[in-house]
Amino acid sequence: MATDPIGAAAGPHAGPGIEPPPPSLLVIFGASGDLARRLLLPDLFGLFLDGLLPERFAVLGVSRTAYSDDAFRERISDSARALGEAKFDASRWDAFAAGLHYHSADLENPESYPALRERIRSLCAARGIPGNIIFYAAVAPKHYVSLVRRVGGTKLALPSEDLPGFRRLIVEKPFGRDLASARDLNREILSVFPDGQVYRIDHFLGKETVQNLFVFRFGNGIFEPVWNRNYVDHVQITVAESIGVEGRGDYYDEAGAVRDMIQNHLLQLMALVAMEPPNSLDGDDVRGEKLKLLKSISPVDPERARDVCVRGQYTEGEIGGKKVPAYRAEINVPPDSSTETYAALRLAVDNWRWAGVPFYLRTGKRMARKISEIAIQFHPAPSQLFKDTSCGQLDSNLLVINIQPEEGIFLRFGAKEPGPGVCVRPVDFHFTYREAFGAKSTPAYGRLLLDVMHGDPTLFPREEDVETSWALLDPFLRRWREDPGRDLRFYPAGGWGPPEADALLEGGRDRWRQP
Ligand code: BG6
């Protein structure tokens, strides 16, 4: 095993204008879990290959499972290799892996913490890291509070004489399970870590296309003038997945689609689509505008919850020619579960820009295909000019921002079909990241980890964002808690969700897209 520090490739490789962040130690709680293995550490390796890590940087994985440093490295290398040749540079792996360390500890036992503190201290000393420590809570959410209290109790949450430097805490979603629990969690965390040092992570905000939405809207002159109720008929935000719960049944059955996806990813996307331009790119300005938007979403009358939200659960079906089981037959899911694996909502924004424009949000597991997109449907052009032609009803313009899997944007407009006479047909302008830039984008977790190392909170939801989102969803969650089977519809795996969701679309005029 090579012994160079993990960030040895930094500096000369960093892109123009991108300063590597200061030296730091990343302590990942829950390091034996899926998130660390499949996403965090492979993404860090990607940052290392791009020369974006600081020169002095190390990772300390902490979990109950007993691994040696080498066994931990081996485990991570297996999953990093599984990403494929293009992302795994074997010749550089050893240099990266030398900075990966592991400490086995029962995080529920307060007696584990003094030894953990000592390990952190000695690692910082050995690596020449001046006590800058980032903690990543990648444990099950029910352990967040005790973890944070114990980190605080061991004098790890604030700089000290033997460990000076900064402290930052990254908290994975879900952040609470309703408004009350999110408030409690915020209070607990903020009693230990100063507000500015808490990073509530939502990995969708680290996706390249999501950030491009900001540039698309505010870095171009021609879109913003039509980005309002005078031109936009409605907006559809879809995050569909073809996968099921992938062995996470115990977590998912407690969460469901609204807590797992809508409260965070989809509402954040909606905030970015609909927010006003901020005064600057400063974190406070951007987050302030996002919060204003979230606050202007009209609260849902609990009596009308059923009219604006459809929840569903998948039954068995077929995806890509393969039979897949029903949700209730998944591992660690009770056979009578009433958890929703699909949710669709119609929301209204009560402000001058968006009054009267419905925002439809939908997400589901085991849908026909994996696709995340934001579709802006414009009002139709008056068609009287073409009324005596064979065109029929003209299609209205449509702008689609593809978040994944094909990152890009397309605009649909009418074009004259060649030939005698006048016939208008819809055609598309296409932009894809792949064709335009060729280069791979920084994966979402990698991008966000880098931001935390730099101390840039812009892409991280604040306490109030999280609480405002929960406040919006609480009426639904309360209704279903009282009567879990209430309003639950079923849809076959491999489709586009329960047919009842069509009724959410207003006036029978709009339709859900089936991309
Ligand atoms: C996570 C959810 O936050 O996002 C998962 O917990 C979901 O259930 C995942 O599968 C989707 O993320 P991505 O980046 O694969 O679209």
Side-chain angles (χ1 to χ4, degrees):
M1 178 63 62
T3 54
D4 322 19
I6 200 171
H13 300 272
I18 305 172
E19 288 290 315
S24 59
L25 171 70
L26 174 66
V27 178
I28 304 178
F29 294 114
S32 62
D34 240 33
L35 180 70
R37 186 173 53 85
R38 281 194 313 110
L39 294 163
L40 302 182
L41 288 154
D43 279 13
L44 279 171
F45 183 44
L47 294 181
F48 169 78
L49 294 178
D50 292 341
L52 293 171
L53 287 183
E55 233 175 284
R56 283 168 289 144
F57 177 75
V59 173
L60 179 64
V62 186
S63 286
R64 190 201 295 257
T65 320
Y67 291 122
S68 62
D69 282 0
D70 276 342
F72 179 59
R73 290 166 183 153
E74 204 51 45
R75 179 179 157 83
I76 304 303
S77 109
D78 286 348
S79 55
R81 267 173 223 278
L83 296 175
E85 284 300 307
K87 294 189 180 165
F88 188 87
D89 180 345
S91 67
R92 313 269 308 278
W93 172 257
D94 280 358
F96 172 75
L100 302 183
H101 305 267
Y102 186 82
H103 182 82
S104 158
D106 173 4
L107 294 169
E108 283 299 290
N109 181 356
E111 287 171 17
S112 309
Y113 287 76
L116 172 63
R117 189 179 200 287
E118 182 45 33
R119 181 81 196 269
I120 289 176
R121 210 200 46 75
S122 67
L123 208 50
C124 283
R127 290 281 177 201
I129 297 169
N132 296 333
I133 303 168
I134 299 167
F135 296 104
Y136 198 123
V139 293
K142 63 179 181 223
H143 299 305
Y144 287 168
V145 169
S146 57
L147 175 74
V148 166
R149 280 189 192 157
R150 284 168 188 151
V151 166
T154 324
K155 309 245 169 306
L156 274 168
L158 297 172
S160 55
E161 216 168 283
D162 58 342
L163 282 171
F166 63 68
R167 296 293 185 280
R168 293 177 188 149
L169 171 71
I170 308 178
V171 190
E172 245 315 313
K173 60 160 271 283
F175 199 92
R177 34 179 306 105
D178 53 19
L179 178 59
S181 57
R183 279 192 176 138
D184 288 349
L185 184 56
N186 270 321
R187 197 174 39 245
E188 287 281 354
I189 291 179
L190 297 179
S191 70
V192 174
F193 283 88
D195 190 20
Q197 307 303 330
V198 180
Y199 293 77
R200 298 166 193 82
I201 199 163
D202 182 321
H203 78 277
F204 264 57
L205 298 181
K207 291 182 191 280
E208 200 72 69
T209 347
V210 173
Q211 290 163 55
N212 188 43
L213 180 56
F214 201 79
V215 175
F216 181 76
R217 283 193 59 193
F218 305 128
N220 292 292
I222 63 168
F223 302 114
E224 212 37 34
V226 297
W227 212 260
N228 57 51
R229 67 194 161 95
N230 298 326
Y231 296 90
V232 176
D233 182 83
H234 70 270
V235 177
Q236 289 188 21
I237 302 181
T238 298
V239 178
E241 297 183 279
S242 55
I243 56 168
V245 290
E246 307 289 288
R248 296 158 77 220
D250 41 358
Y251 153 74
Y252 195 87
D253 202 60
E254 288 287 309
V258 169
R259 290 188 176 90
D260 187 49
M261 301 292 288
I262 304 250
Q263 183 271 333
N264 32 74
H265 306 324
L266 277 92
L267 283 173
Q268 288 292 321
L269 291 181
M270 177 171 165
L272 284 173
V273 175
M275 68 192 260
E276 294 300 314
N279 283 347
S280 75
L281 291 180
D282 176 78
D284 277 342
D285 285 346
V286 174
R287 297 195 298 175
E289 287 303 337
K290 257 174 47 192
L291 178 61
K292 240 168 71 190
L293 187 282
L294 288 173
K295 285 190 160 171
S296 60
I297 301 177
S298 307
V300 175
D301 174 355
E303 293 303 309
R304 291 198 49 233
R306 207 180 145 176
D307 303 334
V308 297
C309 178
V310 170
R311 62 193 293 251
Q313 189 188 81
Y314 61 84
T315 54
E316 66 177 7
E318 216 178 275
I319 299 184
K322 259 182 68 188
K323 271 199 173 329
V324 296
Y327 174 69
R328 290 178 176 181
E330 299 271 11
I331 298 162
N332 293 333
V333 172
D336 59 349
S337 168
S338 300
T339 299
E340 80 282 355
T341 58
Y342 170 98
L345 267 89
R346 183 179 66 232
L347 296 174
V349 179
D350 191 11
N351 67 14
W352 273 69
R353 187 190 280 264
W354 295 116
V357 178
F359 281 74
Y360 302 114
L361 274 52
R362 107 186 123 151
T363 183
K365 299 263 184 215
R366 288 289 192 222
M367 308 254 299
R369 54 178 291 222
K370 179 175 175 74
I371 187 154
S372 301
E373 62 160 43
I374 297 165
I376 317 280
Q377 182 75 60
F378 292 90
H379 292 308
S383 58
Q384 78 275 23
L385 204 56
F386 300 97
K387 68 180 184 302
D388 296 330
T389 68
S390 58
C391 302
Q393 177 75 31
L394 296 185
D395 280 12
S396 29
N397 296 116
L398 172 73
L399 179 83
V400 177
I401 297 157
N402 289 125
I403 295 166
Q404 56 193 18
E406 182 66 90
E407 304 173 313
I409 294 175
F410 79 79
L411 175 67
R412 181 158 300 163
F413 60 101
K416 180 187 169 300
E417 202 175 86
V422 178
C423 199
V424 183
R425 292 274 174 253
V427 291
D428 296 343
F429 270 144
H430 264 278
F431 148 76
T432 69
Y433 264 80
R434 200 168 28 89
E435 282 166 13
F437 299 112
K440 64 182 174 61
S441 46
T442 306
Y445 274 102
R447 160 68 205 252
L448 294 172
L449 284 169
L450 202 58
D451 284 359
V452 179
M453 292 178 210
H454 278 290
D456 179 354
T458 313
L459 296 176
F460 295 80
R462 283 190 301 208
E463 173 186 359
E464 251 192 301
D465 289 32
V466 173
E467 292 182 4
T468 307
S469 309
W470 280 122
L472 198 67
L473 300 171
D474 256 11
F476 304 108
L477 299 173
R478 214 172 306 124
R479 180 180 163 95
W480 302 332
R481 194 167 49 231
E482 284 158 10
D483 181 356
R486 204 166 184 182
D487 311 335
L488 187 68
R489 315 285 176 208
F490 293 91
Y491 61 100
W496 284 101
E500 288 84 355
D502 294 345
L504 284 182
L505 302 170
E506 284 182 331
R509 183 170 42 102
D510 309 334
R511 261 173 302 153
W512 286 111
R513 282 176 42 73
Q514 300 204 348

